Amino acid sequence: MVPHLVTALTGPISELEQRILESMPAVERWFRLEWMEHTPPFYSSVDVRNAGFKVAPVDTNLFPGGWNNLTPEMLPLAVQAAMAAIEKICPEARNLLLVPENHTRNQFYLMNVATLARIFRAAGMNVRIGSISPEITEDTAITLPNGEELVLEPVNRSQYRLGVKNFDPCTILLNNDLSAGAPGILEDINEQFLLPPLHAGWNVRRKTHHFKAYEEVAKRFGKMLGIDPWLINPIFGHANKVDFAEGNGIEALQESTHSVLTKVRKKYKEYGINDKPYVAIKADNGTYGMGVMMVSDAAELASLNRRTKNKMSVIKDGQQVSDLIIQEGVPTIENIAGATAEPVVYMMDRYVVGGFYRSHASKGADENLNAPGATFMPLAFEPEHVMDAQGHPGELLPNRFYMYGVIGRLAMLAASYELEQTNPEAEVY
């Protein structure tokens, strides 16, 4: 089930939201049957956009940071989910090594690491933090903004096992998305559980593969619910071998952009939507909101300025961009204190454990909010009952966060399809 959280939305319930809320028993049964056939990613977060007329995921992260943005009240849910996930993989698990990104100077990211460590310690694990950063050559204590101290230890590697000094873990939890590739120190580990697997990293993953799997999930879910799958699924296309600096591949990018915009315009006309369609063009293996631009006319791509070309050419860890996803833009109707906002749903195993709003005061409803200047607004638990004028309990409030939890889990299910398809150890028939 999905926690009952406050959302920024207070207006009338949309037709789509009403359909999902009314169908809760059928929805939960559908997910239950899916999880009998597929293994959920160990943990994930999903950026969701609610346009009112449609609700869809726009990005799915299989190495989620930002756990420090969840409220303390949500952590018991994460602990329960962590216990369930660990018990399923290794019931006798005792020692867990948490391997973070190499952001040793990003204290907000390190607060996320500290929160993850706290969750797994509360789940009954001995937790140490092992860094693969070349900067960490000895135990390094870092004082975080909240006064907490975090100790990063250099990892050591035997033939098949990874650990830190005087600590031999049975489970290794990666919070490193492998954008620069899987380092050799993490390869050929076959005596320990590595979570998530290496093929979940951006060295292998592609957004186009994920949204192709999501398209399949949305069709099946839409059929069960009796809705047009477009209402929960962003149309997308792709373009490969694009070089913004040299101007190569731009025509193919324009053709794909034009194709996606044409399909979206057709849907807008079908549903009587007067908004101007746009697309988000993103690096196919992008992360951290880098390598993203918004376009409402394919002709715009013929005259990009140098700054935009530079922004689109290189992403995290200096990776060159050549393959792109062209994704239908989903505007957001969410707004917090005058700032444009979007919910981010956090999951562990098959469970929704919480979420928060990413908001940006200087971005519009049709822009990328995962950009410098973004702030994170915690979501509180909704009071269980409303009170009438006499102070008596009223009817149970509808869980307005439930719809976001459904979309998040659909994206998580698509990620499980995706991981099955890219698993190098999968049997080929």
Side-chain angles (χ1 to χ4, degrees):
M1 295 298 286
V2 177
H4 211 115
L5 305 178
V6 172
T7 73
L9 289 177
T10 56
I13 292 176
S14 70
E15 187 177 338
L16 175 60
E17 187 179 2
Q18 188 72 46
R19 175 70 67 90
I20 290 174
L21 284 168
E22 288 174 351
S23 305
M24 190 183 298
V27 168
E28 294 304 318
R29 179 178 182 275
W30 188 86
F31 275 119
R32 212 162 42 241
L33 295 174
E34 286 293 326
W35 296 132
M36 290 173 68
E37 300 291 331
H38 304 281
T39 302
F42 187 79
Y43 58 2
S44 55
S45 68
V46 177
D47 298 349
V48 178
R49 302 276 286 207
N50 183 357
F53 56 85
K54 78 180 292 178
V55 184
V58 292
D59 208 5
T60 301
N61 190 351
L62 299 185
F63 297 86
W67 289 91
N68 54 305
N69 294 314
L70 301 186
T71 61
E73 293 81 8
M74 293 174 189
L75 296 188
L77 294 177
V79 170
Q80 285 184 319
M83 292 173 73
I86 291 290
E87 285 170 11
K88 192 164 61 179
I89 294 160
C90 180
E92 67 277 10
R94 185 171 54 188
N95 293 342
L96 181 141
L97 183 68
L98 175 52
V99 179
E101 295 272 5
N102 294 345
H103 303 325
T104 53
R105 293 182 178 85
N106 184 335
Q107 292 209 324
F108 291 106
Y109 171 74
L110 293 176
M111 286 180 70
N112 148 75
V113 173
T115 302
L116 269 176
R118 196 177 308 123
I119 288 169
F120 285 94
R121 286 186 183 116
M125 305 289 288
N126 300 314
V127 180
R128 302 268 283 272
I129 300 164
S131 176
I132 58 175
S133 169
E135 294 181 5
I136 304 298
T137 57
E138 59 184 6
D139 291 4
T140 304
I142 298 172
T143 302
L144 302 177
N146 62 357
E148 187 177 352
E149 186 176 84
L150 192 70
V151 179
L152 301 178
E153 303 178 59
V155 298
N156 53 56
R157 174 70 190 257
S158 62
Q159 185 175 5
Y160 295 118
R161 298 184 73 84
L162 195 71
V164 293
K165 188 176 180 181
N166 300 324
F167 188 76
D168 185 28
C170 54
T171 305
I172 299 162
L173 178 62
L174 290 180
N175 196 240
N176 181 318
D177 66 20
L178 308 177
S179 290
I185 199 168
L186 295 177
E187 293 180 341
D188 299 319
I189 293 173
N190 55 19
E191 294 183 356
Q192 295 163 302
F193 293 96
L194 185 64
L195 306 169
L198 292 182
H199 65 279
W202 284 119
N203 56 318
V204 174
R205 280 192 80 203
R206 294 295 179 266
K207 293 178 190 286
T208 44
H209 295 167
H210 175 73
F211 281 98
K212 183 66 178 173
Y214 183 82
E215 187 175 59
E216 181 185 340
V217 168
K219 284 177 181 176
R220 296 181 57 244
F221 184 79
K223 184 177 181 181
M224 182 276 296
L225 208 60
I227 62 169
D228 180 351
W230 176 75
L231 298 174
I232 55 172
N233 179 37
I235 294 168
F236 75 95
H238 61 89
N240 299 330
K241 299 181 180 177
V242 176
D243 185 333
F244 285 99
E246 299 295 327
N248 298 328
I250 300 298
E251 284 188 13
L253 176 59
Q254 284 180 299
E255 288 175 13
S256 187
T257 299
H258 178 73
S259 174
V260 172
L261 283 169
T262 299
K263 291 173 185 174
V264 177
R265 288 190 192 102
K266 185 177 178 182
K267 279 294 182 183
Y268 275 28
K269 185 176 181 181
E270 179 184 340
Y271 283 92
I273 298 163
N274 296 320
D275 296 4
K276 185 176 182 179
Y278 69 100
V279 296
I281 298 177
K282 310 178 185 181
D284 204 10
N285 61 335
T287 182
Y288 283 87
M290 301 174 74
V292 180
M293 66 177 172
M294 306 302 182
V295 170
S296 55
D297 188 329
E300 297 172 33
L301 296 166
S303 55
L304 297 176
N305 60 38
R306 182 177 296 275
R307 183 181 176 187
T308 301
K309 288 179 180 178
N310 290 341
K311 183 184 79 169
M312 293 300 296
S313 294
V314 180
I315 54 171
K316 186 187 167 200
D317 292 331
Q319 297 297 299
Q320 295 291 317
V321 174
S322 64
D323 296 346
L324 299 156
I325 180 172
I326 299 93
Q327 186 183 70
E328 174 189 349
V330 182
T332 176
I333 58 173
E334 301 267 29
N335 193 285
I336 298 176
T340 306
E342 65 187 8
V344 185
V345 180
Y346 273 64
M347 291 157 292
M348 194 172 290
D349 194 62
R350 68 187 65 181
Y351 306 105
V352 176
V353 297
F356 56 81
Y357 275 110
R358 179 187 290 115
S359 65
H360 207 301
S362 61
K363 297 287 186 180
D366 57 355
E367 293 185 89
N368 173 33
L369 305 187
N370 191 5
T375 56
F376 305 98
M377 308 289 292
L379 290 170
F381 279 88
E382 186 77 78
E384 284 194 357
H385 294 79
V386 293
M387 294 286 182
D388 63 20
Q390 285 73 41
H392 302 303
E395 291 185 11
L396 190 67
L397 290 167
N399 185 354
R400 298 206 68 164
F401 188 74
Y402 181 75
M403 177 173 64
Y404 296 147
V406 168
I407 299 299
R409 285 183 290 167
L410 290 173
M412 175 170 58
L413 179 60
S416 73
Y417 285 21
E418 179 191 357
L419 292 180
E420 288 166 9
Q421 292 162 6
T422 57
N423 184 357
E425 297 177 6
E427 293 184 17
V428 179
Y429 296 97

